[in-house]
Amino acid sequence: MSHPSQTPVKVPASATAYTPATQDPDLRSQINALLIKEGYANKIQEHLLHSLNAHPSNWPSTVQSHALALLRSGDVTTFPALVRRVLEDVRHDTAAAAASTSATENGTNGGEVNGSGTNGASKANGASSSAEGSLAIPQSVIDAVLKVTRECLDAVAEVDDGATAG
């Protein structure tokens, strides 16, 4: 897996400016197929799981406790609703943590950003507003998994900058 793909996907340099709305579905499918075929998708997933379990925040247990609390309180009653709700709460807390970090880095007080605490909104969806017990994916985990993902993408894709020797 640490070796580059024998037939890397050629990615046009313009792809760096793609948005979700302008992504080339064929290109994405080719890259995904190579990531799966050559075992890189499993490597990324295993690294994510290891990083989450190894992080001192004990994120998997926090998510499990949150899910159990939602079920016990009757806030959700079906598995699909539970999954939707937990994902929504994780996204909410992760976005709030990112906004808080961004605000702190920009010299603000790092308090509640963009009205995240207005009318109890941060608690209305069951998400935690404090760092302890937060459902936010730890930034160090995100950074580590992005690094592995970039390495895997570098192994299966080659950016074609359009420059040709002539």
Side-chain angles (χ1 to χ4, degrees):
M1 266 192 300
S2 61
H3 62 286
S5 174
Q6 295 202 9
T7 56
V9 175
K10 300 284 187 192
V11 179
S14 62
T16 59
Y18 287 175
T19 66
T22 60
Q23 284 181 348
D24 179 356
D26 291 332
L27 178 62
R28 184 177 60 220
S29 292
Q30 289 175 17
I31 292 171
N32 287 342
L34 269 178
L35 288 171
I36 292 167
K37 177 183 167 197
E38 297 190 13
Y40 291 110
N42 286 336
K43 178 181 179 180
I44 294 166
Q45 182 180 17
E46 289 168 5
H47 191 80
L48 172 62
L49 290 173
H50 172 75
S51 297
L52 286 170
N53 285 310
H55 193 273
S57 69
N58 200 10
W59 187 85
S61 293
T62 302
V63 171
Q64 181 181 18
S65 296
H66 179 64
L68 287 171
L70 289 171
L71 288 168
R72 289 179 180 145
S73 70
D75 285 350
V76 293
T77 56
T78 65
F79 184 74
L82 176 66
V83 171
R84 269 192 306 275
R85 176 65 179 273
V86 168
L87 288 173
E88 177 185 309
D89 293 347
V90 168
R91 288 183 187 115
H92 175 270
D93 281 11
T94 300
S100 178
T101 300
S102 174
T104 302
E105 288 172 359
N106 290 331
T108 63
N109 65 4
E112 301 201 320
V113 179
N114 295 333
S116 63
T118 304
N119 296 328
S122 62
K123 292 188 175 126
N125 68 359
S128 171
S129 60
S130 67
E132 187 173 318
S134 172
L135 297 174
I137 299 171
Q139 188 61 45
S140 61
V141 170
I142 293 170
D143 295 341
V145 174
L146 283 175
K147 181 179 181 231
V148 170
T149 303
R150 281 186 196 103
E151 291 168 359
C152 293
L153 285 171
D154 285 344
V156 300
E158 182 179 290
V159 175
D160 181 12
D161 61 6
T164 56

